[in-house]
């Protein structure tokens, strides 16, 4: 008996399982913006969006800037993060949309 027949017999079609998998794994733009607003300088919104590399970069810049702010050099890093944070306000919706599109594509195979 095929997987499709077994799922149909249990009352769950393949399409329904795919839709449930997508709904449970998709990212919310609202949650991403909340993370951006409150924890954006740490890159948490980028971790949420699946952009781990740039999230790590933002976190490292923040940590190094915090340490170097004791000698006033770290303020430059905070300015860079502030600009990056501001630009992300315009990019975040597209990042989340692309993430969800890639997720839908991978589940439809």
């Amino acid at each position: 008996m095929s997987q499709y027949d077994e799922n149909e017999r249990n009352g769950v079609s393949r399409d329904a399982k795919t839709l449930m998998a997508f709904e449970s794994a998709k990212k919310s733009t609202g949650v991403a913006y909340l993370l951006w607003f409150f924890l954006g300088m740490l890159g948490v919104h980028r971790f949420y969006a699946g952009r781990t590399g740039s999230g790590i970069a933002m976190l490292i810049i923040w940590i190094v800037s915090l340490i170097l702010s004791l000698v006033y050099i770290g303020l430059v890093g905070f300015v860079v993060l502030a600009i990056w944070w501001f630009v992300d306000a315009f990019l975040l919706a597209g990042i989340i949309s692309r993430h969800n599109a890639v997720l839908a594509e991978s589940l439809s195979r």
Side-chain angles (χ1 to χ4, degrees):
M1 181 177 296
S2 72
Q3 179 71 20
Y4 180 76
D5 293 336
E6 183 178 326
N7 286 338
E8 284 294 323
R9 190 175 52 126
N10 293 334
V12 179
S13 69
R14 181 176 182 264
D15 291 338
K17 286 183 75 171
T18 301
L19 182 61
M20 287 187 290
F22 175 75
E23 288 296 323
S24 67
K26 77 176 182 176
K27 303 295 181 183
S28 166
T29 305
V31 170
Y33 273 109
L34 284 172
L35 291 171
W36 167 82
F37 186 76
F38 291 108
L39 300 169
M41 293 294 250
L42 300 173
V44 174
H45 61 289
R46 288 195 163 259
F47 286 108
Y48 176 75
R51 302 286 178 104
T52 308
S54 58
I56 290 172
M58 288 184 84
L59 186 59
I60 289 172
I61 292 170
W62 187 84
I63 291 169
V64 169
S65 296
L66 185 65
I67 293 168
L68 292 178
S69 67
L70 298 173
V71 291
Y72 300 109
I73 298 171
L75 299 178
V76 174
F78 286 131
V79 169
V80 168
L81 282 175
I83 292 168
W84 194 348
W85 178 81
F86 181 74
V87 170
D88 272 355
F90 301 100
L91 299 177
L92 197 53
I95 291 171
I96 297 298
S97 293
R98 277 190 298 280
H99 177 275
N100 288 339
V102 168
L103 176 64
E105 174 73 26
S106 69
L107 289 174
S108 67
R109 293 182 197 168

